[in-house]
Amino acid sequence: MWENLPLFPDSASTLAGDVDRLYIFLVAVSAFFSLLICGLIITFAMMYRRKPDGRVAARIEGSLQLELLWTIIPFAVMLTAFIGGASLYVRMNTPPGEAVDMYVVGKQWMWKAQHPRGEREINDLHVPVGQTVRLTMTSEDVIHSFYIPAFRVKRDVVPGRYSQLWFEATKPGVYHIFCAEYCGTKHSAMIGKIYVQTPEEYQQWLSGVPAGEPPEVAGLRLFESLRCNTCHADTSGAAGARGPSLVGLFGKRVQLRDGGLQIVDEDYIRESIVKPMAKITAGFDPIMPTYQGQIGEEQILQVIAYIKTLRAP
């Protein structure tokens, strides 16, 4: 019954129920107090309107009980909304540890996705039901926003930085993907579909699609073709390296020449590739050239995927 109403799309993820409950709670509270205030205004306007004989209402000095009542009740209601919203926000921004990593690049006016084995899709995304999926996303041109109404998840996709979004689908089916940020003349055409399949159907789909190069394999090929390994040794602590070793570096803190500390994440690696002079690791000279304009966002994601695989022994 609710499926045809714009405010109630399908609920098909583990996050959707919590988002709906918080939304309904806020709407119900807003509606209740709006009706209460309007009703009291009309009631008091009728009760205390000016009488024909010119009588004036008696002055009321105040009531401590009344003051406490209209202070404590709104505070409790807003505190409940804050706790619910904050806990949901933390949950939506903290993907579980075991997740399938996929990469999405927004471009006027399409979504380009890549699976862990290298399968590529445009404006489509196939995922297995009951499996946590983590999307690492960026944009090649302007700001986009990746929005799946049935999953109640949405995240802005900004050029020059990475954003992450995760979900776990609970119902097989076909659901919409929209761009929720105006991005140009064909913004309304930047739509796609997400296919939630059973594990068997998903494996069958994978077997029928050319696998191509996994992101980390393509990243290794780029790493070598760009001669990155001449400065960044592929073994930890190698002598004579002109750049820091990348083995086991992802996720760690590094000391910078200006004395600051920096966590090595996707954004830092991207910045080091396109703007190497922005943050220089302590103990090394600023000799790395920029690769801005030489490789695209998809290729940078592939290099990052390769660097993630360089685990320390």
Side-chain angles (χ1 to χ4, degrees):
M1 139 178 211
W2 301 109
E3 295 175 356
N4 295 325
L5 293 178
L7 294 179
F8 291 93
D10 288 334
S11 177
S13 77
T14 54
L15 295 170
D18 292 336
V19 174
D20 288 348
R21 281 186 285 273
L22 179 62
Y23 173 77
I24 292 172
F25 173 77
L26 293 174
V27 171
V29 169
S30 301
F32 172 78
F33 281 102
S34 297
L35 294 174
L36 177 64
I37 292 171
C38 290
L40 290 176
I41 290 175
I42 295 172
T43 301
F44 291 157
M46 297 295 294
M47 290 178 59
Y48 300 107
R49 69 186 185 279
R50 183 179 292 277
K51 302 297 191 294
D53 55 2
R55 286 180 297 169
V56 179
R59 180 180 180 84
I60 300 176
E61 294 298 333
S63 170
L64 179 60
Q65 292 80 7
L66 187 61
E67 294 281 353
L68 290 174
L69 186 67
W70 67 40
T71 300
I72 294 175
I73 291 179
F75 175 76
V77 172
M78 292 300 102
L79 185 62
T80 302
F82 170 77
I83 293 174
S87 61
L88 182 59
Y89 176 82
V90 171
R91 184 183 171 197
M92 295 180 74
N93 287 273
T94 310
E98 296 296 328
V100 176
D101 283 303
M102 299 184 184
Y103 301 96
V104 174
V105 176
K107 180 182 180 181
Q108 293 176 320
W109 288 272
M110 67 180 70
W111 297 108
K112 297 186 289 183
Q114 186 172 14
H115 291 254
R117 296 197 320 171
E119 296 88 355
R120 294 174 179 272
E121 299 184 81
I122 294 179
N123 291 334
D124 286 336
L125 183 61
H126 289 74
V127 298
V129 67
Q131 173 67 59
T132 303
V133 177
R134 178 172 51 223
L135 304 180
T136 300
M137 306 181 294
T138 189
S139 170
E140 288 189 0
D141 36 48
V142 298
I143 298 177
H144 303 284
S145 187
F146 192 84
Y147 177 37
I148 309 175
F151 295 171
R152 311 296 193 269
V153 292
K154 180 174 76 71
R155 189 59 52 89
D156 286 349
V157 182
V158 183
R161 59 180 294 184
Y162 294 112
S163 54
Q164 287 193 341
L165 177 148
W166 76 273
F167 57 82
E168 181 182 333
T170 57
K171 291 195 310 184
V174 182
Y175 306 101
H176 290 292
I177 300 173
F178 294 109
C179 177
E181 184 76 32
Y182 181 74
C183 55
T185 55
K186 295 184 180 179
H187 162 71
S188 60
M190 193 171 175
I191 56 178
K193 292 181 179 179
I194 182 164
Y195 297 84
V196 180
Q197 301 174 311
T198 63
E200 295 77 15
E201 292 173 339
Y202 180 67
Q203 291 301 324
Q204 185 178 3
W205 176 82
L206 287 177
S207 64
V209 178
E213 274 189 320
E216 60 272 13
V217 175
L220 171 60
R221 180 170 50 79
L222 275 169
F223 193 82
E224 294 175 343
S225 66
L226 295 173
R227 298 293 184 263
C228 302
N229 51 358
T230 60
C231 294
H232 299 282
D234 56 0
T235 57
S236 181
R242 291 179 289 179
S245 170
L246 304 179
V247 176
L249 191 63
F250 188 83
K252 291 187 176 181
R253 291 180 181 269
V254 294
Q255 184 80 34
L256 303 179
R257 292 186 70 180
D258 60 6
L261 292 174
Q262 174 67 47
I263 294 180
V264 180
D265 55 9
E266 292 89 348
D267 287 303
Y268 174 68
I269 296 176
R270 184 192 182 279
E271 184 181 50
S272 298
I273 294 173
V274 298
K275 297 179 181 179
M277 299 297 112
K279 297 185 179 78
I280 302 172
T281 305
F284 295 94
D285 296 324
I287 59 174
M288 179 172 171
T290 177
Y291 291 91
Q292 188 168 21
Q294 301 181 46
I295 58 177
E297 294 294 341
E298 290 185 81
Q299 294 173 307
I300 294 176
L301 280 171
Q302 292 167 352
V303 173
I304 293 174
Y306 165 66
I307 293 174
K308 287 182 178 180
T309 64
L310 298 177
R311 305 292 184 185

